[in-house]
Amino acid sequence: MSKRGSLILIEGLDRTGKSTQADLIVNEFENAGKKVELIKFPDRTTEIGKLINQFLVDKNFNLPKESIHLLFSANRWELKSQLLEKLLQGVNLIMDRYYYSGIAYSTANGLDFDWCKSPDIGLPKPDLVLFLTFKDNENVNKLKNRENYGEERYEITEFQQEVKKNFETFFNKEEKQRLQSSNSKADFEIVYVDNKTIEEVKTDVLGLVKKFIEVDNTNPVEYFQ
Ligand code: TMP
């Protein structure tokens, strides 16, 4: 079977260091001569991405919660063929947010779980999902002390607590389903970042990601169902 790149997703709450870790991993593997690229969602550069960006930074730009959910999903569909093309060319993709953020944030906004999942059915499913989070809920409350916290729409402590709960419920559900299904190879891991330095989190993340990049991936790409 032909080789392809792996799709590795880093998910988590705002300000858990996802983007920092995604950059570090890309650099690490690039320096080791591997084919690896960073993909970030939302991609704020596309036409749909520009609307999403306006919604996030301008609290007076209001949209129904269903509409913004569909826009986030549409933004992922805009990049689907590009993602697949790169994977099939053997490029490993490190993604900063995707489907799981879409569902955890929109259900925190009060939308129905199954309704939220449906627009993403058919998008490529990651081989590995890492969930960066705080073990201690109190550390979510401390986010408000960070510089510039609160500038974007969802940077509100109570909302982040709800997102954390929804991510956890969602990951438990997915993990249960994965264990029951004999044909899915997708893997989920939780990385706690409480009181850890960037280097310490990087060591944890690299340990989990390594085998997906260093060992040839011959599994067919899976899709959300
Ligand atoms: P960012 O800070 O990683 O750029 O993400 C922007 C915000 O958008 C963040 O608060 C999470 C939120 N989000 C959603 O609500 N739905 C989605 O589908 C995605 C990808 C992000």
Side-chain angles (χ1 to χ4, degrees):
M1 211 181 265
S2 63
K3 291 187 282 183
R4 65 166 174 90
S6 290
L7 186 54
I8 292 160
L9 169 61
I10 306 188
E11 282 283 11
L13 306 182
D14 293 57
R15 311 282 180 130
T16 45
K18 290 177 312 305
S19 303
T20 305
Q21 293 301 329
D23 284 341
L24 289 172
I25 294 174
V26 169
N27 281 342
E28 182 83 17
F29 288 108
E30 254 173 11
N31 291 340
K34 301 283 175 196
K35 287 205 255 181
V36 55
E37 280 184 32
L38 177 70
I39 305 272
K40 180 165 173 51
F41 285 109
D43 177 342
R44 302 187 193 214
T45 64
T46 66
E47 290 309 310
I48 293 171
K50 285 178 199 159
L51 260 181
I52 294 174
N53 181 59
Q54 195 182 346
F55 173 81
L56 290 170
V57 300
D58 178 358
K59 287 167 193 156
N60 296 316
F61 178 72
N62 286 315
L63 286 172
K65 50 196 174 190
E66 290 84 356
S67 305
I68 187 65
H69 180 77
L70 294 172
L71 286 175
F72 275 115
S73 175
N75 188 231
R76 291 187 273 280
W77 280 100
E78 281 184 294
L79 270 77
K80 179 191 176 186
S81 50
Q82 195 182 315
L83 294 184
L84 283 177
E85 214 170 279
K86 288 192 190 267
L87 289 177
L88 299 178
Q89 284 166 357
V91 180
N92 297 288
L93 298 177
I94 308 293
M95 270 198 302
D96 178 358
R97 293 198 191 274
Y98 193 50
Y99 166 82
Y100 301 91
S101 281
I103 289 147
Y105 282 76
S106 287
T107 49
N109 260 332
L111 292 180
D112 175 72
F113 178 75
D114 288 325
W115 187 91
C116 287
K117 280 175 81 174
S118 61
D120 280 10
I121 292 173
L123 286 174
K125 194 171 175 176
D127 298 292
L128 170 67
V129 184
L130 299 182
F131 175 41
L132 268 55
T133 187
F134 297 105
K135 193 167 199 155
D136 182 355
N137 284 346
E138 199 40 49
N139 283 329
V140 179
N141 297 337
K142 288 184 191 154
L143 288 177
K144 61 177 177 289
N145 304 326
R146 302 263 187 100
E147 206 185 358
N148 303 331
Y149 189 76
E151 275 184 3
E152 288 216 339
R153 186 178 286 257
Y154 293 143
E155 292 180 338
I156 301 166
T157 308
E158 298 71 35
F159 187 77
Q160 292 291 323
Q161 291 285 11
E162 196 61 27
V163 171
K164 178 174 189 284
K165 207 171 68 194
N166 293 352
F167 261 129
E168 287 165 357
T169 311
F170 191 15
F171 277 108
N172 286 338
K173 253 190 204 173
E174 291 277 305
E175 186 60 5
K176 230 183 239 165
Q177 246 176 27
R178 185 178 73 88
L179 294 174
Q180 283 164 358
S181 133
S182 52
N183 49 14
S184 178
K185 305 268 189 299
D187 198 359
F188 288 88
E189 300 287 347
I190 295 182
V191 177
Y192 291 112
V193 301
D194 311 59
N195 309 319
K196 284 190 189 154
T197 63
I198 291 176
E199 277 305 311
E200 285 168 335
V201 178
K202 181 184 166 191
T203 305
D204 293 348
V205 169
L206 272 180
L208 294 164
V209 168
K210 252 188 173 143
K211 70 170 190 245
F212 287 85
I213 298 201
E214 289 178 349
V215 175
D216 289 343
N217 192 341
T218 52
N219 299 322
V221 176
E222 292 180 38
Y223 295 87
F224 291 116
Q225 297 175 354

